[in-house]
Amino acid sequence: MRIVVCVKQVPGTSDAKIDPETKRIIREGIKSVMNPFDLYAIEAAVQLRERFGGEVIALSMGPERASAVIREAMAIGADRGALLSDRAFGGSDTWATSYALARAVDTIDTMSKASGGVDLVICGKQAVDGDTAQVGPGIAAHLGYSQAAYVEAVREVKQDSITVQRMNEDGYDVCEIAFPAVITVVKGLNQPRVPTLRGVLAARAADVPIWKPADIGAALDKIGLDASPTRVVKTAPPEPRGGETARVEGTPAESAARLVQLLKARELI
Amino acid sequence: MRITDIDKSLFTNVWIIAETIGGRVHPVTYELIGAARGLADARSSKVAAVVIGGEADASLFAYGADLAIVVNAPEFSGFNDELECAALNYLIEKHKPEIVLCAATARGRALIPRVAVQTVSGLTADCTGLAIDPETGDLLQTRPAFGGNIMATIRTSNHRPQMATVRPNVMKALPPDPGRSGEVIRETLLGGAVKNAKRVIETVRGGEAQINLGEARVIVSGGRAMKGPEGFNMLKRLADKLGGAVGASRAAVDAGWIAYPHQVGQTGQTVQTALYIACGISGQIQHLVGMQSCGCIVAIDKNPDTPMMRLADIAVTGDVFEIVPAMTEALQ
């Protein structure tokens, strides 16, 4: 089984502080981390390889320093990886990003055709910086692969298909999808393993190839800012949270009554 | 589709993708119609509700749709992304809508990116504001980015349709007018055009996963201070009284007191409810990014000086195990 896992480097939030004026999070000077949902994607891929053999390839797009997340994926079990990095990719929206990643998956598929090509692409359900959840289904759409989003359990794997449980607001469903396929996974799927020292050292020494548009056969008029259908035309700070914090103190009954009164006044209950 | 200014005018009307659960129209559908109505009026065009795998309920018109485009066939009974996408691609190619709005539910967020890619359209996720630019007629889509720290306005100038998703409870439904009616257009797809690579084996409703955080108007959320599953039962009673759902911090989920679908925050769900009541949640940044865009935040904590108590609109100092039952009681 050959599995490509798409990972993304995102700003971490652990060191962020709250701006006392706007009551919003300040992110300046925050270090980068792997998108947390991607850890579940890597773990899912590595578990499948442990059961069925094959290889796990970590794929990302970003500046050259984003090779750190490829190495992190390798430290916890990915066999190899590649990073799409070039100025021409810069400014890509989710359409152009999923196009570039799809081209890379297709390239891996072509190169490995003799040994079966790519069976499965696994992504985290969304990246925590953009929160769009569009790139996973977008990759499937560009490649014409079948897809399953919000996967919370892998039920069964056959030679040519995977059966998964998809979470939704109303419960879940179970579907069997034919390979090649893209799945996006949620947190409950597994417990990601912790890297071993040996894994970290091996990943540090590993070669992470940088792929340019020409390496993946990406059309230059389909990548980057100019090829992106959407464009950010304005950014603004959000409305600051409404003024002062109303403090409620007293006996439990008094506090509860006061709280109910405040919420009724705001027509919230 | 990539377009030029000359053929922009070929694209007209505002579509909403109706969402149904077990034959019932999901309330977010009416909210989408409400948002679409204003946009269509600004463009002097019509609101069409697209129903795939169901029939045109009269309520769609009552809430403001002018027409319904219906595609119904047995293969749409389960959620089959590929077939629904193929149906939408076909409809979009044929009717050329100017704007397509879809609910940012698990289903909508899986389906619509596939459609946007294959129809070469721009798509903006989780919009909190939608307006028509009076100069260009383009859709201006506003959404929170970076966990609500920035509001970004996004435009799709050179592609049509302009697509956007909206979370439940963000837009307002119009008051229904039962006297309104509309036109129903039935479409039949030519079978076999798409290789069906998916078999939906079963669809299960309810159970632990039925928590609808994304749909709730009110969330009562608990953290480590809830001490165990019993604490969450207490929150559930308050949530039931308020017609809301129960949320949780990562600490409570990791402790096994409540299931993952309840988790709010960076690795859980991002919620934008009208009211968020945080009970014994100190307010780690990973939790705050998932709920700071809620309309009104109430914090209840013994410690008056936590990040959550400072962020909150209303901060109640006290023991959650006393305040929450007292509040539930006060709502009798």
Side-chain angles (χ1 to χ4, degrees):
Chain A
M1 210 175 172
R2 182 167 288 102
I3 305 168
V4 177
V5 182
C6 297
V7 296
K8 185 179 184 188
Q9 192 175 52
V10 299
T13 50
S14 342
D15 312 321
K17 296 271 184 302
I18 301 210
D19 183 321
E21 289 286 307
T22 64
K23 299 190 176 186
R24 295 275 165 180
I25 294 157
I26 308 166
R27 287 197 184 232
E28 281 77 39
I30 302 297
K31 69 178 174 106
S32 295
V33 298
M34 184 180 311
N35 174 43
F37 290 109
D38 300 345
L39 294 168
Y40 305 97
I42 297 163
E43 180 63 31
V46 171
Q47 286 183 13
L48 287 169
R49 186 202 57 208
E50 286 169 348
R51 281 170 65 195
F52 303 103
E55 68 168 339
V56 173
I57 302 146
L59 188 63
S60 189
M61 183 166 112
E64 291 203 9
R65 62 182 156 79
S67 65
V69 291
I70 301 290
R71 290 182 200 284
E72 196 179 331
M74 292 172 72
I76 53 175
D79 299 284
R80 59 188 173 104
L83 175 70
L84 311 188
S85 193
D86 192 278
R87 291 178 70 98
F89 293 121
S92 292
D93 73 354
T94 58
W95 195 100
T97 300
S98 55
Y99 169 78
L101 291 167
R103 287 307 317 146
V105 171
D106 193 57
T107 302
I108 294 167
D109 183 63
T110 305
M111 291 191 313
S112 62
K113 214 64 192 172
S115 55
V118 172
D119 298 296
L120 189 62
V121 177
I122 309 183
C123 306
K125 75 156 179 166
Q126 65 196 54
V128 297
D129 53 351
D131 266 340
T132 71
Q134 289 170 4
V135 169
I139 294 168
H142 279 292
L143 291 165
Y145 286 13
S146 49
Q147 67 177 52
Y150 295 86
V151 168
E152 58 182 356
V154 173
R155 291 281 190 95
E156 194 185 0
V157 179
K158 293 185 194 158
Q159 185 67 33
D160 55 1
S161 74
I162 184 165
T163 301
V164 296
Q165 181 173 322
R166 296 186 288 184
M167 170 183 161
N168 60 42
E169 293 80 4
D170 200 38
Y172 64 88
D173 72 1
V174 177
C175 65
E176 179 182 8
I177 51 174
F179 292 142
V182 176
I183 64 173
T184 76
V185 301
V186 301
K187 177 187 165 188
L189 183 76
N190 55 41
Q191 186 63 51
R193 67 196 66 188
V194 176
T196 60
L197 180 60
R198 205 171 134 191
V200 172
L201 293 175
R204 195 180 293 167
D207 175 41
V208 176
I210 304 287
W211 287 353
K212 305 284 174 190
D215 298 320
I216 55 171
L220 289 174
D221 63 355
K222 289 187 174 172
I223 54 171
L225 184 64
D226 288 344
S228 296
T230 63
R231 181 153 317 183
V232 176
V233 291
K234 192 179 91 180
T235 59
E239 297 282 309
R241 293 205 64 84
E244 290 289 294
T245 298
R247 292 278 172 177
V248 177
E249 283 159 8
T251 68
E254 286 165 8
S255 295
R258 176 80 184 127
L259 177 55
V260 168
Q261 185 191 23
L262 286 170
L263 294 177
K264 280 189 174 154
R266 296 174 188 221
E267 295 180 355
L268 287 163
I269 57 174
Chain B
M1 284 146 261
R2 192 164 200 138
I3 50 114
T4 64
D5 286 338
I6 298 144
D7 57 14
K8 240 180 196 179
S9 60
L10 294 175
F11 291 80
T12 177
N13 292 342
V14 182
W15 284 14
I16 66 101
I17 312 301
E19 176 127 351
T20 54
I21 314 168
R24 180 178 69 90
V25 180
H26 189 297
V28 71
T29 302
Y30 305 131
E31 297 162 14
L32 293 175
I33 293 173
R37 188 69 263 166
L39 301 174
D41 291 346
R43 296 292 294 149
S44 306
S45 65
K46 291 178 177 171
V47 174
V50 180
V51 183
I52 297 177
E55 290 301 320
D57 194 275
S59 64
L60 298 173
F61 304 121
Y63 278 96
D66 301 305
L67 44 132
I69 301 171
V70 175
V71 181
N72 203 358
E75 63 261 34
F76 296 117
S77 61
F79 174 45
N80 188 315
D81 318 48
E82 292 79 27
L83 295 185
E84 291 199 17
C85 173
L88 281 169
N89 291 350
Y90 168 80
L91 296 176
I92 287 167
E93 181 81 24
K94 179 170 174 181
H95 295 279
K96 298 190 170 46
E98 186 174 31
I99 294 169
V100 176
L101 306 182
C102 182
T105 53
R107 187 185 174 106
R109 290 177 121 214
L111 172 66
I112 214 69
R114 192 173 178 97
V115 177
V117 160
Q118 295 192 345
T119 57
V120 196
S121 308
L123 171 62
T124 305
D126 299 348
C127 296
T128 53
L130 294 168
I132 299 292
D133 179 353
E135 279 176 34
T136 60
D138 287 347
L139 180 64
L140 298 176
Q141 305 155 103
T142 302
R143 74 179 300 258
F146 294 98
N149 294 296
I150 293 174
M151 298 304 286
T153 301
I154 292 161
R155 182 201 292 270
T156 301
S157 300
N158 302 319
H159 294 74
R160 290 292 181 273
Q162 307 160 89
M163 296 189 179
T165 67
V166 180
R167 286 171 188 255
N169 287 310
V170 170
M171 299 291 170
K172 295 261 181 297
L174 300 168
D177 172 2
R180 274 186 105 253
S181 62
E183 182 192 353
V184 178
I185 300 169
R186 290 194 157 275
E187 292 281 0
T188 314
L189 303 182
L190 297 174
V194 180
K195 184 182 67 152
N196 184 10
K198 177 175 281 133
R199 186 168 64 95
V200 180
I201 297 166
E202 60 171 336
T203 302
V204 180
R205 292 195 176 80
E208 181 58 58
Q210 192 180 19
I211 38 106
N212 293 341
L213 283 190
E215 293 176 30
R217 214 180 77 82
V218 178
I219 291 175
V220 182
S221 208
R224 206 189 295 272
M226 300 319 296
K227 294 180 183 161
E230 306 75 28
F232 280 91
N233 291 337
M234 179 182 81
L235 299 186
K236 176 87 168 52
R237 286 190 285 278
L238 175 59
D240 286 347
K241 193 68 76 184
L242 295 167
V246 176
S249 71
R250 178 176 175 168
V253 171
D254 285 352
W257 300 340
I258 187 159
Y260 167 64
H262 295 267
Q263 187 181 319
V264 172
Q266 192 175 61
T267 51
Q269 300 198 51
T270 308
V271 297
Q272 292 169 358
T273 49
L275 174 59
Y276 190 89
I277 305 179
C279 302
I281 298 178
S282 63
Q284 288 201 4
I285 222 90
Q286 288 86 346
H287 188 79
L288 299 183
V289 297
M291 45 64 70
Q292 65 170 350
S293 301
C294 288
C296 176
I297 296 168
V298 174
I300 305 172
D301 206 305
K302 270 183 191 163
N303 179 354
D305 202 32
T306 65
M308 183 66 85
M309 292 287 271
R310 291 195 297 269
L311 174 78
D313 300 291
I314 304 171
V316 183
T317 308
D319 183 347
V320 288
F321 288 95
E322 293 177 342
I323 307 273
V324 171
M327 189 183 171
T328 313
E329 180 92 357
L331 290 165
Q332 294 292 350

